[in-house]
Amino acid sequence: MSDSSSIASLVASLQARIADLAPGDRLPSSRELVARYTVSPVTVSRAFAQLAAEGMVVTRPGAGTFVAPRRVRPGPAAADTSWQAVALAGRESDAGLGAAVEPSAPLPEGTLAMAGGYPHRSLQPTRALSAALARAARRPDAWDRAPVAGLAPLRAIFAKQAGGDVTADDVLVTGGGQGALSMVFRAVAPPGSPVLVESPTYPGALAAARAAGLRPVPVPMDADGLRPDLLADAFAMTGARLLYCQPAFHNPTGAVLTAERRRQITDVTRAAGAFLVEDDFARHLGHGGPVPRPLVADDPDGTVIHLASLTKPASPSLRIGALVARGPVRMRLRAIRLVDDFFTARPLQEAAVELVSTPAWNRHLSALATALRERCAVLAGTLATAAPDWQITRIPAGGLHLWVRLPSGVSEAAAVEAARAHGVAVDAGRRYFPAEPAGAFLRIGFAATEDAAHLTEAARRLGLAAADCAPPAP
């Protein structure tokens, strides 16, 4: 059991116990709880800290932990927020805006996580991250103000990764990829204008576009990625000045834009007088094979705005990304950064430099590639046997997910609910489409679970779910 689930389980047990006690009653000691629940003293300490923060217990040094006095909570009529409906008028929200990027609620005990977009903790370079952060904290200037564009060594790292003639001066360090997307959408296109996106695409991009007041317009894909012929038509019909795409290990399909199409997509965008936002989030998530060269490396004219991130291959909390842009748009992005938050926290930038500058980083990326390749093969093989009617659209060469088409007559909602009933969390495909979906799909991750054994068990459970929601035989 993970530390977080152990703490949550202990907190729930203590809350139930507190409900039967009176204020001032003493709770069992830490030693007693360690023995009774077979947990560590650290788990007990964190559980007590959480209960204290919630106002349920008070700790008296040398005496113990006691039930706190009951707090009288105001009834539902104590607050009236109806005035906000008037104050917010004129700025309508999209119903799915936050849901597209907000983590789902905690999973029930025993549920296998096949949803979400981050690798399991066992796939993260935890020791290297801790060591890097410790070294960064010892720098005498660790807590000084950082430059608006980011630390020069970190910008140089991202420039080298982008390739071509990209320099550190073209790089703006950001607080992760999601914030970078929001900056770009607000910087490039005025509210109300269209933005072309692959269909399907990353829901967080759709949310960021809609939050900026933009209107996502779908451009279909096929096995080779975004279709250049339909892209040209979309530019002509909409007058869009912005395209968002993921050329390498596309989320959710895993597609890689072919070499020929890479040139065509950039040429079509340049001819339309538009910007191409290249989301290169998966550059470090390849499965050991070649990773295509970034589009920005072959773009001398500033058509491509390149987005990179260290978050996926490292840790959800290493909120470090970068934008590569040239010309006036770079200055506009810099200006937005000043308005938004001035700069990315310097200790985090210093830690990122420390992390990627050591041999441990390359060893981690190599191990991660091997693990992702093996996990992908395990899930694809076992799922094909357990749920043969669920079509895996491709075996991806990178990324964290399988994109699965459901058979005719099976709804996504039914499949997701059946999977949940059997203890597996998966993502419904509908949220990845900016408009009408091209069918019923599921996105099933192979990186969020603890190990290959869990993947095999998840496939078995999904086979049961597939049988539950299968249409009746004619």
Side-chain angles (χ1 to χ4, degrees), residues 200-214:
T201 192
Y202 167 50
L206 298 176
R210 289 169 177 148
L214 307 185

Side-chain angles (χ1 to χ4, degrees), residues 163-334:
D165 60 354
V166 174
T167 70
D169 290 338
D170 302 322
V171 177
L172 176 67
V173 175
T174 67
Q178 191 64 33
L181 276 176
S182 177
M183 288 175 59
V184 171
F185 288 146
R186 287 181 291 126
V188 174
S193 60
V195 52
L196 305 185
V197 299
E198 297 150 316
S199 184
T201 192
Y202 167 50
L206 298 176
R210 289 169 177 148
L214 307 185
R215 176 169 50 87
V217 177
V219 181
M221 302 174 60
D222 60 20
D224 293 329
L226 190 66
R227 290 182 51 180
D229 55 336
L230 297 179
L231 176 63
D233 291 342
F235 273 125
M237 293 173 61
T238 65
R241 292 294 177 265
L242 185 61
L243 163 67
Y244 168 82
C245 71
Q246 306 165 82
F249 313 132
H250 172 266
N251 176 17
T253 69
V256 176
L257 198 62
T258 63
E260 181 181 6
R261 288 195 179 182
R262 292 162 63 80
R263 291 190 298 271
Q264 293 174 339
I265 295 298
T266 304
D267 289 345
V268 168
T269 305
R270 184 181 297 116
F275 289 98
L276 189 163
V277 179
E278 177 188 23
D279 190 345
D280 201 27
F281 77 100
R283 176 143 303 272
H284 297 306
L285 301 179
H287 295 176
V291 180
R293 179 180 169 94
L295 298 180
V296 72
D298 300 309
D299 168 50
D301 304 320
T303 297
V304 177
I305 300 174
H306 177 83
L307 191 160
S309 175
L310 295 176
T311 302
K312 295 287 187 185
S315 164
S317 287
L318 187 66
R319 306 302 302 171
I320 292 292
L323 289 170
V324 175
R326 296 169 174 175
V329 72
R330 181 174 64 85
M331 299 308 298
R332 184 174 293 189
L333 288 166
R334 186 181 185 279

